[in-house]
Amino acid sequence: MSHYNPAEVQEYWQQVWAAEGVYECPDDADDPTYVLGMFPYTSGSLHMGHVRNYAITDAYARYRRMSGDDVLHPMGWDAFGLPAENAAYDRDTDPESWTRTCIDRMKDELRTMGFGYDWSREITTCDPDYYRWNQWLFARLYEEGLVEKAGATVNWCPDCETVLADAQVSEVEADQADDHDHGTTEVCWRCETPVERRELDQWFFTITDYAEELYQGLDDLGGWPDSVRDIQRNWIGRREGAEITFAVDGGGVADRAVETFTTRLDTVYGATFLAVSPGHDLAAELADGDEAVAAYVDEMRGTDPEDADASGVETAATATHPLTGEELPVYVAAYVLDDVGTGAVMGVPAHNERDHAFAVEHDLPVEAVVEPLGDDESPLPDAPFTGDGMLTNSGEYDGLASEAARERLRDHDAVTESVTYRLRDWLISRQRYWGTPIPVVDCPDCGHVLVPDEDLPVELPEYVQTTGNPLAANEDFVETTCPDCGGPAERETDTMDTFVDSSWYFLRYLSPDLDSAPFDSETADEWLPVDVYVGGEEHAVLHLLYIRFFTRALADIGLLDRREPVERLINQGTVLHSGQKMSKSKGNAIAPHEYGAETTRLFVLAAAHPRQDFEWTVKDVSNVYDFQQTCYGMVQDFRSRESVRTESTDHDAYLEREIDRTIAAVTDEYERFRFHRVITELQTFARLLRRYRGYEAPYKYAYARGLRTLATLLAPIAPYLAEEMWHGLEEEAPVAGADWPTPLQDVPDYRIERELIRTTLADVRDITDVVDIDDPDAIEIVVAQDWKHRAYGIARDANPDDAVVGQILDDDRVGDRRDAAGEYAADLAERVAELEPIVAADRELETLEQAAWLFEDEFGADVTVRQAGDGDDLAAKARPNKPAIHIE
Ligand code: ANZ
Ligand code: ZN
């Protein structure tokens, strides 16, 4: 009966929790704490990564809840997405049924793990009640000017007749397809047809409108890991630089200004040509009267610029260098990207890799204008010198360092300061069935018209298996009337990227049943930001950038006050097995329930700091299991135990202090998310309780308090075990709703007492070792006389530059001790800088008296603790914080 088997009690406690509504969060919270884990994609089963992610949020949520906060810890389902269509195809079902089956299974698994969610707020993104608000928000963004339909170069599968996301294109060896000169070719993930690149009209959210703010806001996100902030900075790719205007003439254009973007203004004298992208307006203008240019522009349309190498075409136009007045040739070149900077560059072959490659290919001059400083050799002419250095061949700027030259050149008339970003607008349309229909009607007369709010949701029609986009193939869905003119019109058949669903789900949890808006703005202002958000680092840019964008957009629409959604972000590390990331595809996965749900969740917390990767080892799992058994066994024994004491003695005070210390230490570790240290502390504490109980009949009140403390401190990480213990102690269930324990007494400097006990125990061990006494009969621990503590205190306070010995001996009670005092004072003076804090002699004595049982228990000897007296043999040896020890 003293064996703990969580599988037998899980169900029972889940029911108790549900009946008591422990995890339900009130709408009107006084002390709101929002703890959130990234909701799972409905793949069908939980994996170890989920368990780890949610064990972290659950531990913290439970801890805060027991501490008195109103905690919101919700859960839901990221339920739309392509894999469901794929699964439906393979299993001859439909995406909806498949997804619902997955949700049922995963919800059951989450329950078994003992995670405490407010299920009354569960959300499922494929519910019309949810995606209706995706559509509503799309409409608000559209009205705000944050939605755009624009041409984009996309991956297209001619066989499936659909656009593919980059992630849906696979690389295969070239021999599987024919017409490609590279080693690999890109094919459709589903039918393996080589994909084409097509220019298609797609829907975008213009996230780039927020590029600057998203970039600057990262500086204030002190609660986010630096790594994530760096990844976002990089992704946004803010570049300070300058635009230089060139005048272009010839080939049908006259005195046309072309802006080029550069980060290397200092190299402007080295510009030997001008190049524009095939999509640049100038290219179109020049193509008009020039067949070669027209042919090149045509050829490059739909070519991946990565494949274009140094290709390009010379035009009939020339550009005037704004500083030298020189005439430069003008090229259309695919290495110049349309959507970077201004889509035009000054070519500086001497100092830029791509310009150099282009110049070599097209026989253009290479003019060095920056020389390396110091002993560095320039790699020119074989390769460009791309570093900063000193200017040469640059007119009045000669001799300046690069940075100084850039600063001076900024004042030139042809130059304006400019910032560009790498961030692109967010392409949200997908030619897929299992997603939110884009709520737009295309009318031959009115153009794009939003579906009116009162007609939302535009519901997904029933799924029919077809090739291509099932929505486009469904005439009943497509054919509609225009909301504006009432004439015949067609529905948009694209659905939204599922990242749209997850960009605001954390707001829906706040008012899950509201049917007048996606969320209640007032509630949202109370609850935001999310206090702690936990999830994998793989979402560093996409999801975590999108929620930052959405929050800002919603604020600008007037639905929110806050502009940042998340205060503190934790990216949990990876669970490894045999040195590799645990995953089904690698065949090294362990199912979350294989070793018992609670043991597993406890182990993933015990193994490492949440951020750290760790290796799954059966040995460590079984240690955790043993710990569960120990804790449970102690309570069972206590219940059936006859002999307890009702009078307290000295050593009970030691236990009381350790209980208080453990509460303080563990609370601090919970606060810092160091659950692995919580577990180490509790293991130490459990060992102490066991020893205490074994030493002699325990004092009933102190021991029961110890066990209660253990149960409450365990509750956030081992919820079933804690409930069983709490129940065994005849406390009112559930412990999940109990108060967090507080220390009875705050003993200042208890740390010093503990250290004193630890080092004294170590000293006794050393002595028994050295003098080889296996089985000592008696141990005498002798605390130094008061005057030494006094001298020690004076030395610690003394100014080390003054005569320390003199200061010590000046004290009457120390000075009285003559020779002994002189010797001791000299010794203290030598160590004055390294004297650790100590407690007074009487407290030292008391501490060791209360800990005497530990010595007795460990060494099986009689223990005496006393203070040295005059003429005492051991008086000379005893020092503050270092009692003399005598063993027989
Ligand atoms: C002249 C120059 C001289 C440049 C030099 C660099 C070095 P990074 O380097 O990543 O910060 N650039 C500008 N617009 C471009 C476009 N649309 N397509 C391709 N390249 C473009 O990027 C800034 C540099 O990228 C710019 O500075 C420009 O080349 C090039 F010694 O201008 B530079
Ligand atoms: Zn295909």
Side-chain angles (χ1 to χ4, degrees):
M1 182 48 225
S2 71
H3 184 77
Y4 170 56
N5 184 357
E8 286 168 7
V9 299
Q10 282 164 187
E11 191 64 39
Y12 172 77
W13 289 115
Q14 287 160 28
Q15 277 166 21
V16 172
W17 293 333
E20 301 266 329
V22 195
Y23 309 120
E24 275 169 36
C25 177
D27 281 325
D28 51 342
D30 299 327
D31 213 343
T33 299
Y34 193 168
V35 182
L36 187 64
M38 291 180 184
F39 68 167
Y41 172 67
T42 47
S43 60
S45 50
L46 289 192
H47 55 67
M48 205 56 82
H50 290 127
V51 172
R52 190 171 189 201
N53 189 340
Y54 304 144
I56 294 166
T57 57
D58 195 49
Y60 191 69
R62 286 172 178 275
Y63 154 66
R64 300 298 305 199
R65 187 179 300 112
M66 291 174 75
S67 307
D69 290 5
D70 289 318
V71 173
L72 175 58
H73 185 225
M75 186 39 82
W77 311 103
D78 188 12
F80 270 141
L82 200 52
E85 282 178 72
N86 201 21
Y89 185 89
D90 289 345
R91 291 174 176 78
D92 215 15
T93 169
D94 62 279
E96 163 125 35
S97 316
W98 164 252
T99 303
R100 302 278 168 198
T101 314
C102 290
I103 291 175
D104 287 347
R105 195 158 58 222
M106 291 171 81
K107 188 167 177 178
D108 210 51
E109 289 175 322
L110 287 177
R111 280 224 168 95
T112 306
M113 295 309 299
F115 297 137
Y117 294 118
D118 183 349
W119 286 113
S120 71
R121 295 166 184 269
E122 176 180 5
I123 57 178
T124 306
T125 58
C126 66
D127 280 345
D129 271 347
Y130 184 86
Y131 69 70
R132 161 188 185 189
W133 300 112
N134 278 343
Q135 296 171 340
W136 188 91
L137 287 165
F138 177 97
R140 300 295 85 76
L141 294 177
Y142 189 95
E143 290 159 357
E144 187 73 9
L146 292 170
V147 180
E148 198 171 74
K149 192 164 194 185
T153 309
V154 292
N155 306 302
W156 173 262
C157 173
D159 196 51
C160 303
E161 293 179 55
T162 181
V163 163
L164 302 173
D166 287 344
Q168 292 146 12
V169 174
S170 343
E171 297 250 322
V172 295
E173 294 300 317
D175 57 13
Q176 291 187 21
D178 32 23
D179 59 343
H180 221 270
D181 49 6
H182 286 273
T184 61
T185 191
E186 298 186 323
V187 299
C188 169
W189 65 289
R190 192 147 110 180
C191 69
E192 302 212 331
T193 308
V195 298
E196 297 170 0
R197 293 177 68 84
R198 281 207 184 172
E199 288 286 326
L200 284 177
D201 275 359
Q202 299 288 306
W203 291 93
F204 290 88
F205 286 162
T206 56
I207 186 172
T208 52
D209 290 1
Y210 289 88
E212 181 66 19
E213 201 195 326
L214 288 168
Y215 186 89
Q216 298 300 345
L218 292 167
D219 289 346
D220 302 327
L221 288 180
W224 286 39
D226 287 342
S227 57
V228 172
R229 294 197 285 168
D230 282 345
I231 291 170
Q232 290 209 0
R233 279 194 192 98
N234 231 331
W235 185 260
I236 296 170
R238 184 181 193 275
R239 289 253 184 305
E240 283 187 18
E243 282 177 25
I244 309 178
T245 309
F246 287 75
V248 174
D249 285 284
V253 302
D255 200 19
R256 182 173 183 321
V258 173
E259 269 91 41
T260 61
F261 175 78
T262 180
T263 49
R264 292 294 306 275
L265 199 48
D266 54 315
T267 65
V268 64
Y269 279 82
T272 58
F273 63 97
L274 185 87
V276 301
S277 74
H280 196 278
D281 289 347
L282 181 68
E285 289 159 35
L286 295 173
D288 249 0
D290 189 328
E291 267 173 37
V293 174
Y296 182 73
V297 168
D298 215 43
E299 184 192 335
M300 288 302 126
R301 185 168 297 135
T303 301
D304 186 345
E306 300 272 323
D307 296 340
D309 296 324
S311 80
V313 62
E314 191 172 0
T315 71
T318 55
T320 310
H321 192 292
L323 281 91
T324 64
E326 247 177 289
E327 300 280 287
L328 307 180
V330 175
Y331 282 81
V332 178
Y335 82 94
V336 183
L337 304 174
D338 247 356
D339 48 7
V340 173
T342 57
V345 301
M346 61 169 182
V348 185
H351 302 293
N352 178 280
E353 300 280 358
R354 286 161 303 183
D355 296 347
H356 190 269
F358 191 81
V360 169
E361 179 80 19
H362 297 269
D363 243 347
L364 290 159
V366 178
E367 278 170 24
V369 293
V370 180
E371 280 176 352
L373 291 171
D375 300 337
D376 288 354
E377 295 258 339
S378 173
L380 283 166
D382 303 330
F385 168 60
T386 58
D388 274 2
M390 194 183 75
L391 267 68
T392 173
N393 295 326
S394 298
E396 57 182 289
Y397 302 93
D398 276 1
L400 285 178
S402 288
E403 184 59 45
R406 286 194 284 268
E407 218 154 280
R408 290 261 304 270
L409 278 155
R410 254 173 238 149
D411 295 335
H412 194 280
D413 283 348
V415 175
T416 49
E417 279 178 57
S418 161
V419 177
T420 65
Y421 307 88
R422 204 186 86 114
L423 184 67
R424 303 277 65 100
D425 279 335
W426 174 10
L427 197 170
I428 60 142
S429 41
R430 298 286 180 273
Q431 289 69 34
R432 291 289 162 191
Y433 170 78
W434 197 228
T436 305
I438 290 180
V440 170
V441 168
D442 202 357
C443 170
D445 293 327
C446 313
H448 290 137
V449 180
L450 284 175
V451 174
D453 290 354
E454 59 271 21
D455 294 342
L456 299 181
V458 176
E459 280 201 50
L460 279 173
E462 210 174 307
Y463 178 74
V464 202
Q465 204 145 58
T466 75
T467 54
N469 180 347
L471 291 188
N474 186 327
E475 275 180 25
D476 288 344
F477 178 80
V478 174
E479 285 170 13
T480 185
T481 50
C482 170
D484 271 4
C485 69
E490 294 193 343
R491 266 185 211 290
E492 182 59 61
T493 55
D494 285 354
T495 52
M496 295 183 205
D497 180 4
T498 57
F499 277 106
V500 176
D501 314 349
S502 53
S503 289
W504 67 280
Y505 78 112
F506 56 97
L507 292 162
R508 187 66 183 167
Y509 284 134
L510 300 174
S511 16
D513 303 318
L514 191 67
D515 65 3
S516 55
F519 56 90
D520 179 64
S521 296
E522 224 169 277
T523 312
D525 289 332
E526 259 162 49
W527 281 90
L528 282 197
V530 171
D531 293 81
V532 190
Y533 195 26
V534 182
E537 189 169 26
E538 64 272 21
H539 296 292
V541 280
L542 298 171
H543 170 61
L544 289 171
L545 193 62
Y546 296 151
I547 58 173
R548 297 185 62 226
F549 158 64
F550 248 74
T551 305
R552 285 173 167 78
L554 296 178
D556 287 340
I557 291 168
L559 294 170
L560 278 180
D561 282 346
R562 290 281 312 182
R563 300 184 76 79
E564 281 289 351
V566 172
E567 176 97 22
R568 175 168 191 155
L569 174 73
I570 295 178
N571 293 127
Q572 84 272 8
T574 309
V575 183
L576 306 169
H577 192 205
S578 320
Q580 280 194 309
K581 179 173 176 166
M582 199 185 265
S583 85
K584 245 193 212 152
S585 63
K586 293 210 179 72
N588 64 352
I590 288 173
H593 308 125
E594 201 170 322
Y595 288 82
E598 188 182 60
T599 306
T600 301
R601 61 176 284 173
L602 194 52
F603 168 67
V604 299
L605 292 180
H609 186 285
R611 270 196 308 273
Q612 233 80 58
D613 296 350
F614 70 82
E615 171 80 21
W616 178 277
T617 65
V618 175
K619 185 173 127 284
D620 293 334
V621 175
S622 85
N623 282 341
V624 166
Y625 177 81
D626 292 345
F627 174 55
Q628 290 172 292
Q629 298 301 337
T630 304
C631 296
Y632 182 78
M634 280 196 292
V635 171
Q636 295 306 309
D637 288 355
F638 180 65
R639 293 187 73 165
S640 55
R641 188 175 194 92
E642 21 354 85
S643 61
V644 285
R645 258 180 311 122
T646 46
E647 293 287 305
S648 110
T649 67
D650 245 6
H651 78 290
D652 305 322
Y654 174 80
L655 181 69
E656 294 276 14
R657 287 190 180 192
E658 279 296 305
I659 295 174
D660 285 348
R661 192 210 71 91
T662 303
I663 293 172
V666 166
T667 304
D668 187 52
E669 302 296 10
Y670 271 116
E671 208 47 67
R672 297 149 166 246
F673 293 87
R674 299 200 297 207
F675 310 116
H676 58 308
R677 299 238 204 156
V678 166
I679 294 162
T680 321
E681 286 284 356
L682 292 181
Q683 283 171 328
T684 307
F685 182 58
R687 266 198 302 278
L688 173 69
L689 285 174
R690 236 152 76 122
R691 240 179 114 184
Y692 171 83
R693 182 192 78 185
Y695 173 69
E696 64 173 39
Y699 176 47
K700 188 175 169 193
Y701 301 103
Y703 187 54
R705 179 171 171 248
L707 292 175
R708 275 200 313 274
T709 302
L710 185 60
T712 45
L713 297 181
L714 271 171
I717 49 178
Y720 297 127
L721 172 63
E723 295 295 358
E724 285 293 303
M725 291 171 71
W726 200 241
H727 174 75
L729 293 165
E730 289 168 20
E731 295 293 332
E732 199 184 322
V735 70
D739 289 339
W740 196 247
T742 44
L744 290 181
Q745 227 191 327
D746 175 28
V747 181
D749 293 333
Y750 180 61
R751 192 179 52 79
I752 302 173
E753 290 184 20
R754 275 195 117 211
E755 189 56 15
L756 170 70
I757 296 167
R758 196 187 64 77
T759 52
T760 310
L761 274 167
D763 286 348
V764 174
R765 269 178 223 130
D766 280 354
I767 296 169
T768 50
D769 257 12
V770 170
V771 292
D772 208 10
I773 314 178
D774 275 347
D775 203 2
D777 290 330
I779 300 171
E780 214 181 343
I781 300 171
V782 182
V783 172
Q785 288 177 285
D786 287 350
W787 69 266
K788 282 194 180 168
H789 284 79
R790 210 176 159 78
Y792 190 104
I794 297 168
R796 252 182 67 91
D797 293 341
N799 178 348
D801 297 332
D802 294 344
V804 177
V805 175
Q807 289 176 60
I808 297 173
L809 295 180
D810 268 354
D811 185 275
D812 286 352
R813 279 161 48 202
V814 179
D816 274 2
R817 296 287 163 164
R818 299 175 197 282
D819 290 357
E823 230 174 85
Y824 186 52
D827 173 56
L828 286 173
E830 244 171 68
R831 297 182 293 134
V832 84
E834 61 209 49
L835 295 176
E836 299 287 339
I838 59 167
V839 294
D842 54 347
R843 190 162 153 201
E844 184 175 327
L845 184 66
E846 194 192 30
T847 299
L848 290 167
E849 279 167 355
Q850 290 173 352
W853 70 279
L854 292 171
F855 294 78
E856 230 174 280
D857 189 52
E858 178 171 341
F859 303 101
D862 287 336
V863 177
T864 328
V865 179
R866 63 179 177 82
Q867 188 168 19
D870 287 339
D872 198 320
D873 280 355
L874 292 169
K877 267 193 167 171
R879 294 181 165 192
N881 212 27
K882 191 111 185 117
I885 295 164
H886 179 73
I887 301 181
E888 255 163 44

